[in-house]
Amino acid sequence: MSISADELAAIRASFQRLLAERGTEADVRRAIASPEGYDAALWRGIGDLGLAGLIAPVADGGAGGGAVELELLMEDAGAALLCAPFLSSVVIAGGLVAGGDDAEDRARLLPRLISGAAVGAVALTGEAGLWTPQDITVRAAEGRLTGVASYVLFGAQADVLLAAAWDAEGPAVYEVAAGATGLTITPLKTFDLTQPMAKIAFEGVEARRIAGPEALARTLDLGRIALAGEQAGAARRIFEITLDYLRTRVQFGRPIGGFQAMKHMAADLLIEVENATSAARHAASAVAQGAPNAQVMVNLAAFACADAFSQTAATAVQMHGGIAFTWDHPAHLYLRRARADARLFGASDLYRDRYLAALEAVDA
Amino acid sequence: MRDEDLIAEVRAFLNTHWDAKKKRPKAGGGAKEFRHRVLEAGFAVPSWTAEWFGRNLAADQARLIEREFAAVAAYGAGQDKTNLFANTILAAGTDALKREVLQGLLTSEIDSCLLYSEPGAGSDLAAVRTRADRTADGWVVQGQKVWTSGARTAQYALLLARTDWDVPKHQGLSFFYMPMKQPGVDVRPLHQITGDSHFNEVFLDGAVVPEANLLGNENGGWKVLQTALAYERLVMGEGAGERRQGSGKDNRKSLIQMARSAGRLGDPVLRQKIAQALAYRQLNDLNLARAKAEMAQGTASPIMSLGKLAMSRILHGDAAVMADILGAASLLDGEENPESADMNYRALNAYMTSIGGGTDQIQRNIIAERVLGLPREIEVDRDLPFRDSRAVKG
Ligand SMILES: Cc1cc2nc3c(=O)[nH]c(=O)nc-3n(C[C@H](O)[C@H](O)[C@H](O)COP(=O)(O)OP(=O)(O)OC[C@H]3O[C@@H](n4cnc5c(N)ncnc54)[C@H](O)[C@@H]3O)c2cc1C
């Protein structure tokens, strides 16, 4: 690892400062109403801080960070409901390109991704939206892709567009030019307002193989850890927002946080929030250390963090009462993100099953 | 001392005295002798001072010792964290009392019980009516306790009693370490829902507590009780309620193996339930590990107070999944149906963790108030002289 604890603290502080200044709720609301569908100014700020190169190898011009650094920054990103293609471009697209085997591809694509000049997107799943290898319906043959992918984060905004596609080796990763012939990109109307998605149809689109199945699997693990960190951070923030309200909203002559029903809901949520933080951080360090139980931990974090964020955001609305039913209150923004995050990369049921399978391997 | 040297020392000790394969002291040494050796080596309570069996180690180094012991399933270490009696007495006991009992507590030669709950004071412990009056021969105790686990074998008890009736309820309590084997103590077993009889009624009629066995200040008992309760909740959060009472043995079961031998590990619905049950347990372990890491760095960790509530969900949940694995066989019981009997026992015994040591509801109140800083519960008798409260007047 090439980032020291002090450097990490400094990086994190600069990211938090950026988010405090330019990633406020007002910025989020402006971003979701913008034609780009994300916060282009904030994304440039991320690039200026060098954060788009966080996990790219030092040799390729990145900061050389790993799962642990990524997870921590994603907690901050989640707390602020980051409206920028960090997960899509930095983690998944950047991870795949850096993990690819061709030095020329890396030299061509990575500098633009690392600087934040380009937005990267990766088509990972088919129209069923299961995020399993079987669900990838795009096929590669003779350098061309055919099939349909959907739920592609930042698919319509992408400058660097990659797609998972089956070839002789299994699910591999291909690059297509953003305006290539045979490519139809349809922006999707999404419930979550903070992360744009698109459906992408490939009809014999010329493509270049970037990375194989192993790099894809590795990068997806990193993506799951990043998402888990985002969920942990977002769950904690909406929980804190709720606690503030419990302390200040007065009914029946006292703060509503004095009512036992509220206190008990809050205590139960605290367990969820702490569970999420522990799961995300332990998964990150297990992967960073190449621990034998890394798969157990990644799968655990995938559903524990998803469930924790979903439950916290959903309960937060109830705990606020009518105010949270208004568009102007932030609770629904978290609820929407929670519901999207809980499906992204596969639903909790899938990961519970995989977690058990990983444990079975240990408990034979 | 460097970590490596400490680890080497602990390993050498264990190599000499502990049979890691058979999980017992090496030939020639009994459990008692082993515990004495652990104590002499300073491993029982490493963070305590040398005056009281410790080595002045910082929390993170103390945990290293624990980890080495845990790796070979040896006992006796880490009691600076888990032994609620020894820790409470170290914190609040007189030197005379410490000299009398600490060693015995740390070698498990002294058994103790908790005389807190009464018929009229459970969750509301500050409402106890057992009284202790100071006399020339020590404190004389009068009253009735209930649900006292392990009272029959205990040589001592942590006793909560009222020493001033004219002040509000929390302010008139004192905390004692009372000898149990004396004429004024009458212990009567109660039959539990599990079929066991571990807990008891204890009638106190003129029992005497020596002056040196007062813990903390007269009328300062509530504060000392909080220390003891914190240790109790801590160990319950790590699954103490899962062991059979009185045994240090961890008897957790592999849900995976159970389902596999029932031929049901492929059932997708069951798989979800098993995975979730295992996840809750693993998440609690991860939380506790993070809390310990934070505490080793010197910051207090709020996560530590979540363990007991989390564990209660884990134990109830595990038993429910076991019943699902067993299917209709879960209707059966008794020696001829050992798997069902075990599951049934767990389903009932889980209440020990969700009721004993403060119910789940009380734990939620505590987390909300002390960790999250939400307003306190309204307590209508909080400021009344105890004598005038409903606990006395009815
Ligand atoms: C297996 C077992 C072992 C035990 N061992 C011991 C022991 O060794 N020594 C000892 O002293 N005690 C022991 N206890 C007693 C235990 O601490 C008490 O049972 C417990 O604190 C609850 O008190 P209670 O039974 O009087 O219930 P109550 O306090 O009467 O509670 C009844 C119900 O009301 C709820 N309730 C009460 N107050 C509130 C509130 N403020 N807010 C919300 N809900 C509330 C409770 O959650 C519960 O559901 C043991 C109990 C069990 C089950």
Side-chain angles (χ1 to χ4, degrees):
Chain A
M1 199 193 312
S2 51
I3 297 183
S4 71
D6 285 347
E7 282 166 334
L8 176 59
I11 292 173
R12 205 176 168 194
S14 66
F15 188 41
Q16 286 172 341
R17 209 158 37 237
L18 176 71
L19 291 171
E21 284 165 11
R22 288 157 68 185
T24 64
E25 187 192 329
D27 293 314
V28 169
R29 289 181 182 274
R30 206 162 23 248
I32 60 186
S34 72
E36 294 91 351
Y38 68 100
D39 192 333
L42 181 58
W43 176 238
R44 273 194 302 280
I46 287 172
D48 292 344
L49 285 177
L51 295 175
L54 179 73
I55 56 166
V58 175
D60 292 312
V68 171
E69 293 78 15
L70 174 63
E71 188 281 332
L72 275 180
L73 289 201
M74 287 305 292
E75 287 186 25
D76 300 325
L81 295 178
L82 181 70
C83 294
F86 197 89
L87 180 60
S88 160
S89 193
V90 176
V91 184
I92 311 283
L96 288 171
V97 173
D101 0 70
D102 191 300
E104 260 176 49
D105 289 335
R106 294 225 301 270
R108 182 167 53 83
L109 297 173
L110 263 186
R112 292 165 62 215
L113 289 172
I114 288 175
S115 67
V119 170
V122 188
L124 292 169
T125 191
E127 283 181 289
L130 301 178
W131 278 270
T132 57
Q134 298 74 31
D135 190 41
I136 298 170
T137 54
V138 181
R139 264 148 236 285
E142 289 156 20
R144 287 179 187 276
L145 300 187
T146 305
V148 179
S150 196
Y151 308 104
V152 184
L153 279 181
F154 289 86
Q157 289 79 7
D159 307 299
V160 173
L161 183 57
L162 309 180
W166 284 92
D167 63 18
E169 274 182 48
V173 182
Y174 286 77
E175 180 205 358
V176 300
T181 339
L183 191 66
T184 314
I185 302 179
T186 316
L188 296 171
K189 175 92 185 136
T190 53
F191 177 69
D192 175 21
L193 306 163
T194 58
Q195 305 181 101
M197 289 179 165
K199 180 164 142 179
I200 303 182
F202 302 85
E203 286 172 75
V205 180
E206 206 177 309
R208 182 177 164 77
R209 196 177 196 270
I210 292 283
E214 205 204 317
L216 179 58
R218 226 179 319 118
T219 304
L220 281 179
D221 275 350
L222 210 55
R224 289 180 191 107
I225 289 168
L227 185 61
E230 168 174 318
Q231 290 164 325
R236 190 175 291 279
R237 177 62 59 83
I238 185 59
F239 182 59
E240 285 165 356
I241 291 172
T242 307
L243 279 180
D244 272 347
Y245 196 65
L246 292 188
R247 294 191 190 104
T248 48
R249 167 76 175 166
V250 172
Q251 287 291 281
F252 297 96
R254 53 186 173 128
I256 56 169
F259 298 119
Q260 198 174 71
M262 293 289 117
K263 287 163 83 169
H264 287 196
M265 283 159 111
D268 286 338
L269 287 184
L270 180 63
I271 294 184
E272 298 304 321
V273 169
E274 296 297 352
N275 279 353
T277 304
S278 292
R281 292 188 186 171
H282 277 92
S285 59
V287 165
Q289 291 161 14
N293 69 345
Q295 277 310 307
V296 172
M297 289 302 181
V298 169
N299 289 311
L300 174 64
F303 70 88
C305 297
D307 294 350
F309 183 24
S310 298
Q311 191 189 331
T312 308
T315 310
V317 174
Q318 182 65 25
M319 292 174 85
H320 275 90
I323 189 77
F325 201 73
T326 63
W327 189 266
D328 290 341
H329 192 275
H332 76 111
L333 300 176
Y334 284 87
L335 179 60
R336 288 166 190 270
R337 180 89 162 220
R339 290 171 57 117
D341 281 0
R343 294 273 153 197
L344 210 56
F345 303 158
S348 289
D349 289 1
L350 172 71
Y351 287 105
R352 259 188 295 274
D353 201 271
R354 285 187 182 168
Y355 168 68
L356 188 59
L359 283 173
E360 279 174 62
V362 186
D363 191 1
Chain B
M1 182 170 208
R2 296 186 315 158
D3 287 0
E4 304 88 274
D5 297 337
L6 179 63
I7 291 172
E9 182 192 335
V10 181
R11 288 191 184 161
F13 173 90
L14 288 168
N15 263 332
T16 316
H17 301 298
W18 184 257
D19 187 332
K21 276 213 194 74
K22 298 195 177 125
K23 296 189 178 158
R24 61 174 199 215
K26 280 222 164 124
K32 181 173 154 188
E33 196 185 330
F34 180 73
R35 288 183 185 276
H36 273 275
R37 290 188 197 283
V38 175
L39 186 68
E40 279 154 27
F43 297 152
V45 283
S47 62
W48 291 11
T49 63
E51 188 192 359
W52 301 113
F53 311 103
R55 295 177 58 157
N56 284 314
L57 290 185
D60 54 344
Q61 287 203 324
R63 299 298 79 93
L64 289 180
I65 298 175
E66 246 176 84
R67 210 186 310 150
E68 293 300 319
F69 270 64
V72 294
Y75 44 72
Q79 295 190 62
D80 42 2
K81 212 182 63 204
T82 57
N83 191 322
L84 86 91
F85 299 100
N87 281 290
T88 305
I89 287 166
L90 180 82
T94 60
D95 280 0
L97 181 64
K98 290 183 204 168
R99 271 191 297 275
E100 186 185 328
V101 300
L102 273 184
Q103 170 159 339
L105 280 170
L106 294 171
T107 54
S108 298
E109 285 160 90
I110 295 180
D111 274 348
S112 318
C113 62
L114 303 170
L115 291 173
Y116 304 163
S117 305
E118 297 181 5
S123 299
D124 185 11
L125 270 184
V128 294
R129 286 187 301 171
T130 291
R131 62 185 305 141
D133 295 290
R134 194 179 237 145
T135 70
D137 304 324
W139 296 85
V140 176
V141 184
Q142 204 73 32
Q144 183 192 345
K145 295 288 176 179
V146 73
W147 323 131
T148 314
S149 305
R152 265 162 300 161
T153 50
Q155 291 107 304
Y156 288 89
L158 285 176
L159 167 73
L160 184 67
R162 188 156 309 275
T163 43
D164 188 342
W165 297 67
D166 296 317
V167 292
K169 60 203 269 197
H170 296 90
Q171 295 162 31
L173 299 167
S174 298
F175 209 48
F176 303 93
Y177 197 52
M178 183 183 80
M180 285 290 283
K181 304 295 179 197
Q182 55 167 314
V185 179
D186 179 16
V187 179
R188 299 184 201 161
L190 291 167
H191 201 192
Q192 301 172 193
I193 54 175
T194 51
D196 295 334
S197 293
H198 290 303
F199 65 27
N200 306 271
E201 291 179 293
V202 178
F203 295 86
L204 302 164
D205 184 9
V208 179
V209 186
E211 187 62 49
N213 292 29
L214 171 68
L215 301 175
N217 297 327
E218 180 180 355
N219 296 328
W222 184 252
K223 195 168 148 241
V224 190
L225 170 70
Q226 299 313 309
T227 309
L229 282 175
Y231 281 106
E232 183 179 1
R233 288 164 183 164
L234 208 65
V235 296
M236 289 183 99
E238 292 185 326
E242 187 165 16
R243 294 160 206 146
R244 293 231 170 198
Q245 283 173 344
S247 141
K249 233 170 134 187
D250 184 344
N251 65 346
R252 63 162 84 166
K253 264 205 136 151
S254 163
L255 296 176
I256 293 177
Q257 279 169 24
M258 252 187 103
R260 188 180 283 136
S261 57
R264 300 200 54 202
L265 195 48
D267 179 328
V269 176
L270 209 45
R271 287 182 70 80
Q272 291 288 314
K273 293 182 181 176
I274 293 172
Q276 190 61 59
L278 294 172
Y280 282 142
R281 192 183 279 276
Q282 186 154 30
L283 290 166
N284 191 43
D285 290 346
L286 296 180
N287 272 343
L288 293 176
R290 187 156 62 87
K292 284 177 197 166
E294 283 173 9
M295 290 196 303
Q297 287 169 4
T299 42
S301 177
I303 315 169
M304 221 57 209
S305 40
L306 303 180
K308 182 174 178 290
L309 183 57
M311 186 51 74
S312 126
R313 168 165 79 174
I314 291 165
L315 297 180
H316 281 284
D318 274 9
V321 175
M322 285 178 191
D324 285 342
I325 295 172
L326 292 173
S330 64
L331 299 173
L332 308 177
D333 205 5
E335 277 167 25
E336 58 272 49
N337 303 293
E339 282 207 303
S340 299
D342 178 67
M343 178 278 296
N344 289 329
Y345 183 87
R346 286 168 192 276
L348 295 175
N349 208 43
Y351 288 102
M352 179 163 108
T353 297
S354 58
I355 297 175
T359 66
D360 282 359
Q361 287 67 42
I362 294 299
Q363 289 307 109
R364 289 188 176 97
N365 286 349
I366 290 173
I367 291 164
E369 292 171 14
R370 299 197 199 150
V371 181
L372 301 177
L374 294 175
R376 295 186 63 104
E377 289 293 290
I378 290 172
E379 200 172 345
V380 291
D381 56 1
R382 191 174 178 83
D383 299 319
L384 286 183
F386 187 66
R387 196 181 287 292
D388 299 333
S389 72
R390 273 189 70 173
V392 175
K393 296 195 144 177

